[in-house]
Structure formats: structure tokens, C-alpha cells
Amino acid sequence: MTAFDQDSFYDRVDRRGPRDCWPWLGGKDDDGYGRFSSGNGKRHRAHRVAYELAHGRFDRKSHVLHFCDNPGCVNPGHLRLGTHQENMKERNEKGRQAQGGDNGRAKLSVMHAEASRALHAQGWSIAKIAEFFFVDESTISAVVHARTWS
């Protein structure tokens, strides 16, 4: 990372009590993480800047994780370094991974998944169902065998 202007950064933070979340008041990305532009025009996630201002520089490959699960929080006391694997494990354990039709990468809606199972129970082949819904056979196979949409 780079050296950051601490005053400019904290002008965009609602600093509350030491145990409270400190909301980022500046711009945010689509995932709710604060965005901070440094003097050289580069944009950084605000919680990463907060961690660096409080604890010093760190390996850019490291992830800055929130104890509070609030992506807009920049309280250094709510942040810790971790790995991508730790971040994904915490996300899954805390149920923050979008499931089913709420997952933006889902190929089918709940209605389509239920219809696929019903059609298969009526004797439709996986290939025919996949063709009907314009998806790959592996997608339908995973649905009817309850590997997804269980």
C-alpha cells in the first residue's frame, strides 16, 4: 500500500465508542465496502486503509477481515488480518453466502429447480430438462440429485 493522509481518511469516518462500528461516510462499492482515494488517485477499500493506519503496512496478499461482519465498518478494533481461506470459512459459517436464487451466479430460479425435479419425477430425461431450460445437463443433474438446491 501507500502512505495515507490520516486526517483526510478520518474526515469520512463516524468515530463512535471503541467497541462500536465506525461507519464509513464516504463512497462505497456495490458490496458495501468503503472506498478511499489516496493522493495519487488510486482507490482502496477503506477498511484496509484503516487497518494500515492503525497497525502499519502489511502484505497486500493478506485479507483484512471484520469481526463485526459489517463491510462499512472501519474501526481498527473490529479488523484483523487473515487469509482468503479464513474469510471464506467465516462467510460460510456465518451464512453470508447467498444461496439458491439469491446467488447472482445461480443458473436456475427456485421455481425452475422445483420444476426440474417434478419433470424428472414424471419421467423426463435430464438431457430433455436441460434443453428445456437452456442450461447444461450437469446443472439439472445436480438439482435432481440434490447436490444443489437441496
Side-chain angles (χ1 to χ4, degrees):
M1 286 199 169
T2 183
F4 296 106
D5 178 4
Q6 195 163 350
D7 292 334
S8 177
F9 180 81
Y10 282 110
D11 283 346
R12 294 170 178 86
V13 177
D14 180 4
R15 286 202 254 188
R16 299 174 179 183
R19 293 185 181 190
D20 296 325
C21 286
W22 293 2
W24 177 251
L25 302 175
K28 295 182 181 177
D29 64 19
D30 291 340
D31 295 324
Y33 291 95
R35 299 301 267 169
F36 179 71
S37 295
S38 58
N40 62 6
K42 288 190 175 182
R43 291 174 37 169
H44 308 273
R45 282 198 161 174
H47 67 292
R48 293 178 64 85
V49 175
Y51 187 90
E52 182 171 317
L53 288 172
H55 302 288
R57 292 186 180 191
F58 58 93
D59 183 349
R60 289 180 48 141
K61 295 177 186 172
S62 296
H63 287 243
V64 177
L65 311 181
H66 288 86
F67 289 113
C68 60
D69 293 328
N70 177 357
C73 176
V74 295
N75 179 344
H78 289 194
L79 307 172
R80 70 175 178 86
L81 288 181
T83 65
H84 175 70
Q85 290 78 13
E86 289 173 306
N87 199 22
M88 295 301 99
K89 182 179 180 210
E90 285 182 16
R91 176 199 70 185
N92 294 339
E93 287 173 350
K94 295 177 180 181
R96 292 186 316 230
Q97 173 62 31
Q99 299 291 319
D102 293 333
N103 184 330
R105 295 175 55 188
K107 305 282 189 232
L108 299 171
S109 67
V110 172
M111 182 179 68
H112 291 126
E114 291 171 354
S116 295
R117 288 197 181 107
L119 291 171
H120 190 259
Q122 292 174 15
W124 284 43
S125 71
I126 288 173
K128 185 175 179 182
I129 299 168
E131 183 180 332
F132 183 77
F133 286 120
F134 301 102
V135 296
D136 193 79
E137 289 180 32
S138 63
T139 300
I140 299 300
S141 176
V143 170
V144 300
H145 295 107
R147 291 190 301 274
T148 57
W149 295 93
S150 51

